[in-house]
Amino acid sequence: RTVPNFRHAMLRCLAGICSGNSAPEENVVLVRQVVKPIRPLDCKEPCVQAKTLKHLTKYGLALAPPGADVPIAVVSSNFETNSSRLLVVVPAPGDAAVWDPSLGEHGNVAHMMLWAEANGYASAFFSYEALSAAPAENWDRVVRGSPARHATVIVASGMLNCLQAALQSVHPLLFSRFRTVCIFGADTLEDFNAQTPELRRHLEGSTVAIPSTWHQLETQVAYQYLFELLRDKEERWHTLELKKYAGFQGLKENDMPGLKRMGVDQRVQRLDRDRNDDELARLLKKHEEARSKAEDSEEEPGID
């Protein structure tokens, strides 16, 4: 947990003040804290009466895509401006106020919306009917409006095939930004029959199965656990990316912008090289394998 670490850091800071030692402490790793949403005590539970997407607009969400005759999703107010994080919810059949009826109170859109907002995510909640009718087309119509570079997909129970249909025709450069996929219920990655090896490989490294006991926790505890899991996945991704870019400094056969440029003759000689097996390709494959091994070596998420 990160809270004890924060308390220890505060105590060390006070000890330094009392002792007169002003030397900064080294090797301090800052971990992004998961924030609980703050709501007034007299605030009624939002979204519980919403039957359609239009009803959800009363709670600060906007219909998407903008100007569409028939809306297919609702998005947060920062959907088009948040370039950091995006949370996309693929719902199960039911009222618009509930993204997964099998989770009981935990499946209420209100909880996901408030926790996403408190932790810096833009959010998008699809209509089950719209996404099921035309998965690839409607997915693109909504998601392309977000500039977020780190996206998370929350998949309701039994909706993994719908996500499969939505991503099947997406270019690898576009689906690579969906770096965490959370599945609930009895769904497993084996249920995802990806037709392209790139999509299959990406999902093997990004999919997380939430424990079946998650909905038995108190609501606040359950969502605290979920968003800490999303934070940890994002931190691991950044760590692996840092190692990959650090590896660029050791390249001998390629340009290193700002440090080394290849001569014209050398460039001409390398025009017919196998770009799937050159120095840069081998470096990228090495780090993709390291990413897969890191994910495979992780223990299954548990609940304390």
Side-chain angles (χ1 to χ4, degrees):
R1 301 287 180 183
T2 58
V3 174
N5 294 335
F6 176 74
R7 187 178 297 114
H8 293 163
M10 181 179 293
L11 292 175
R12 288 194 299 270
C13 179
L14 293 174
I17 294 174
C18 295
S19 63
N21 181 12
S22 60
E25 185 174 348
E26 298 180 354
N27 300 325
V28 176
V29 179
L30 298 179
V31 179
R32 179 168 60 88
Q33 300 295 310
V34 172
V35 180
K36 295 181 176 67
I38 300 176
R39 297 174 55 208
L41 295 177
D42 59 349
C43 180
K44 296 182 179 179
E45 190 71 26
C47 306
V48 292
Q49 301 298 326
K51 301 295 183 182
T52 65
L53 294 180
K54 187 170 293 186
H55 292 155
L56 288 175
T57 60
K58 299 178 181 179
Y59 305 103
L61 298 172
L63 298 175
D69 294 334
V70 180
I72 57 178
V74 287
V75 297
S76 58
S77 59
N78 63 342
F79 181 78
E80 295 181 333
T81 58
N82 188 331
S83 61
S84 298
R85 301 182 186 91
L86 169 67
L87 188 143
V88 182
V89 177
V90 179
D95 293 339
V98 181
W99 61 272
D100 193 339
S102 68
L103 298 177
E105 175 63 21
H106 291 49
N108 195 309
V109 166
H111 301 306
M112 190 69 74
M113 176 184 67
L114 292 171
W115 277 84
E117 179 183 4
N119 288 278
Y121 289 83
S123 56
F125 300 86
F126 275 95
S127 160
Y128 165 77
E129 291 78 8
L131 193 59
S132 299
E137 177 184 355
N138 287 336
W139 176 273
D140 181 65
R141 289 176 63 195
V142 173
V143 173
R144 68 185 178 188
S146 168
R149 59 182 178 272
H150 190 111
T152 295
V153 184
I154 304 294
V155 186
S157 304
M159 295 303 296
L160 197 54
N161 288 334
C162 187
L163 178 64
Q164 169 190 343
L167 296 179
Q168 204 66 67
S169 59
V170 177
H171 191 277
L173 290 177
L174 297 179
F175 67 61
S176 62
R177 72 164 172 159
F178 296 98
R179 295 166 187 164
T180 305
V181 177
C182 292
I183 56 178
F184 291 78
D187 290 337
T188 63
L189 189 57
E190 285 69 24
D191 298 328
F192 197 107
N193 301 316
Q195 298 179 4
T196 60
E198 294 87 356
L199 180 56
R200 179 74 187 189
R201 186 165 54 249
H202 176 72
L203 288 171
E204 287 177 349
S206 60
T207 301
V208 176
I210 302 301
S212 58
T213 56
W214 180 78
H215 68 284
Q216 298 176 8
L217 294 172
E218 192 273 330
T219 304
Q220 295 292 318
V221 175
Y223 274 88
Q224 177 83 22
Y225 168 82
L226 175 61
F227 277 83
E228 284 181 353
L229 177 62
L230 299 183
R231 177 205 60 194
D232 293 343
K233 289 283 290 183
E234 181 179 345
E235 292 293 333
R236 281 194 293 270
W237 186 89
H238 284 303
T239 299
L240 292 173
E241 284 295 290
L242 180 61
K243 291 180 179 179
K244 180 175 71 175
Y245 285 109
F248 289 165
Q249 299 180 9
L251 295 179
K252 295 181 175 59
E253 302 174 4
N254 290 270
D255 281 338
M256 295 173 60
L259 297 177
K260 183 190 73 174
R261 303 295 289 180
M262 294 170 50
V264 176
D265 294 338
Q266 189 176 3
R267 289 173 184 271
V268 173
Q269 292 175 2
R270 302 185 70 250
L271 285 177
D272 59 348
R273 71 185 184 279
D274 182 2
R275 287 174 170 77
N276 291 323
D277 193 36
D278 63 1
E279 184 185 35
L280 180 59
R282 291 193 296 271
L283 174 66
L284 296 178
K285 290 177 182 177
K286 172 185 175 182
H287 285 280
E288 283 298 322
E289 293 174 358
R291 186 190 305 278
S292 299
K293 291 179 181 179
E295 297 291 344
D296 292 340
S297 64
E298 293 176 6
E299 299 180 356
E300 288 296 321
I303 298 178
D304 297 335

